[in-house]
Amino acid sequence: QVHLVESGGGLVQAGGSLRLSCAASGRTLSGLAMGWFRQAPGKEREVVAAISRGAGYTYYADSVKGRFTISRDNFKNTASLHMNSLKPEDTAVYYCAASTTPANYVVDSGKYDYWGQGSQVTVSS
């Protein structure tokens, strides 16, 4: 099993920045693709960003391209999501996830095996 815990969420004004962190235990992240997802009230969970096992490939949803940056540190067993120029529509619960799928990265939530409990991000206007 892999236990993932998110931290760093909170309340921020539009245009501000936040950094979400995901700490893993139980298994090294080096063999797992990582992703960040979010779910806003009344909306389906959607992929925000994903990163390959070796961090050589990244994916970003169109809505966050140029504003969010995903990264990972396999030695420290952590993954991060740096969020800049935040907008009210970014308000959601953000989840980190890990996938055992043998691919560079995956964007399908159904292919992720481990999930954190989520961290609330609220962006005020």
Side-chain angles (χ1 to χ4, degrees):
Q1 286 284 86
V2 177
H3 184 226
L4 304 175
V5 178
E6 302 96 339
S7 63
L11 175 65
V12 65
Q13 290 187 328
S17 300
L18 282 175
R19 182 180 67 184
L20 299 179
S21 296
C22 179
S25 62
R27 178 178 176 177
T28 177
L29 294 180
S30 62
L32 304 172
M34 299 294 298
W36 285 94
F37 295 77
R38 68 185 181 187
Q39 187 166 21
K43 304 294 184 180
E44 295 183 356
R45 186 172 298 185
E46 62 178 353
V47 62
V48 176
I51 189 166
S52 63
R53 292 164 291 176
Y57 300 91
T58 57
Y59 166 86
Y60 297 96
D62 288 342
S63 60
V64 306
K65 285 182 179 178
R67 300 189 297 119
F68 290 11
T69 302
I70 188 171
S71 62
R72 65 188 301 160
D73 188 329
N74 289 340
F75 180 76
K76 295 181 178 180
N77 244 21
T78 60
S80 297
L81 183 69
H82 295 256
M83 304 182 291
N84 300 311
S85 301
L86 284 162
K87 305 174 181 179
E89 51 263 44
D90 294 319
T91 296
V93 176
Y94 284 71
Y95 302 87
C96 68
S99 176
T100 59
T101 300
N104 289 326
Y105 64 85
V106 295
V107 298
D108 182 0
S109 63
K111 296 187 182 299
Y112 281 81
D113 306 281
Y114 308 104
W115 294 82
Q117 294 300 305
S119 183
Q120 177 70 46
V121 172
T122 302
V123 184
S124 64
S125 59

